[in-house]
Amino acid sequence: MKYNILNNWNIMRLIRLLFSIMVIAQAFETKQRLLAILGLVFAATAIFNVACCGAAGCGVPAKKNNDTTTDISYEEVV
């Protein structure tokens, strides 16, 4: 857990953290609890590096092509 929090910071993760800080600040300024909860959820996704699919979980696996080509014999029909 500690490794996941401290390492692998990229630009998208920083943007999510900055966005969540802005949302939390706006929530405290306008005294809206629901907005603060939303900001905390965004902060948690940035800090723990998870998203709706998990950490780097949205990649689609490559299709394995197991089809082999076989020779087709044709007969001439008269």
Side-chain angles (χ1 to χ4, degrees):
M1 182 67 85
K2 183 178 176 183
Y3 178 81
N4 195 19
I5 293 171
L6 297 177
N7 294 339
N8 298 330
W9 281 88
N10 54 17
I11 190 71
M12 197 61 213
R13 198 169 167 187
L14 288 173
I15 289 172
R16 284 189 294 182
L17 184 64
L18 291 174
F19 179 72
S20 66
I21 291 170
M22 289 185 333
V23 169
I24 292 170
Q26 184 67 30
F28 280 121
E29 185 177 322
T30 59
K31 298 178 182 175
Q32 293 183 5
R33 292 182 183 156
L34 191 60
L35 191 61
I37 293 171
L38 181 66
L40 289 174
V41 169
F42 281 136
T45 60
I47 291 171
F48 296 118
N49 197 22
V50 293
C52 45
C53 297
C58 291
V60 178
K63 180 182 175 187
K64 293 181 181 179
N65 191 1
N66 293 335
D67 297 335
T68 58
T69 57
T70 57
D71 292 332
I72 300 173
S73 61
Y74 294 99
E75 293 181 17
E76 186 174 340
V77 178
V78 181

